[in-house]
Amino acid sequence: MATNRTFTMLKPDAIENGHMGKIIDMIINAGFSIKAMKYTQLSEAQAKEFYAVHAERPFYGELVEYMTSGPIVAAILEKENAVADFRALIGATDPAEAADGTIRKAYAESKGRNAVHGSDSDENAAIEGVFHFAANEIF
Ligand code: IDP
Ligand code: MG
């Protein structure tokens, strides 16, 4: 399994607020190359499955509703140390705690509506990439 790839989504708030281009620019400027990308909208079933690990958390219903509320950009990104470097680029879950220069500091609205997803491990990056992309959509 590749250790140099991660998976991201630009979440509905980022698209709604007109930040898609600026966020993609930050990602490319940070040295990531795009291996797959699509503009799409999650169904309720897809959002529930994607975030199944959070099913018992009090914010799960709100999270599924938010993630299905509008289009997203899903992408597979490549860079040495991709998972950790991308988590550093996006910053803490809560933008109030995110470091200066991070995507969430610049563009997230709140802990829930936080602009961008980044995989938390190589294993999950691979699972999440395959969840969103067919083999002939990954380069
Ligand atoms: P992460 O996206 O930084 O990995 P996780 O803890 O894995 O954060 O949570 C997944 C997503 O669930 C977050 O990005 C955010 O959209 C949402 N979320 C997390 N904690 C809260 C919360 O306390 N209230 C509302 N939404 C939350
Ligand atoms: Mg997470």
Side-chain angles (χ1 to χ4, degrees), residues 4-129:
N4 58 347
R5 290 191 174 197
T6 191
F7 172 79
T8 187
M9 291 184 286
L10 311 194
K11 298 182 176 183
D13 63 301
I15 306 305
E16 218 175 283
N17 294 329
H19 297 144
M20 174 167 64
K22 287 171 288 182
I23 293 174
I24 293 171
D25 209 38
M26 280 179 83
I27 292 170
I28 291 171
N29 285 338
F32 292 88
S33 59
I34 293 168
K35 294 293 159 183
M37 178 169 271
K38 70 169 70 160
Y39 191 46
T40 185
Q41 183 162 1
L42 297 178
S43 68
E44 187 181 339
Q46 282 178 309
K48 281 182 169 165
E49 186 181 341
F50 189 88
Y51 284 109
V53 66
H54 296 302
E56 303 310 319
R57 309 282 287 278
F59 58 81
Y60 182 62
E62 181 191 326
L63 176 59
V64 169
E65 195 176 328
Y66 153 61
M67 287 302 299
T68 57
S69 67
I72 62 157
V73 173
I76 296 173
L77 306 174
E78 187 170 85
K79 182 186 183 296
E80 198 179 313
N81 202 33
V83 166
D85 285 4
F86 193 70
R87 293 292 303 201
L89 178 65
I90 69 178
T93 307
D94 185 344
E97 291 163 17
D100 284 344
T102 62
I103 293 173
R104 282 169 167 167
K105 175 75 174 190
Y107 298 119
E109 287 181 16
S110 64
K111 189 175 185 184
R113 296 170 61 88
N114 59 3
V116 62
H117 168 83
S119 304
D120 61 10
S121 66
D122 288 341
E123 188 193 2
N124 284 335
I127 292 168
E128 292 169 0

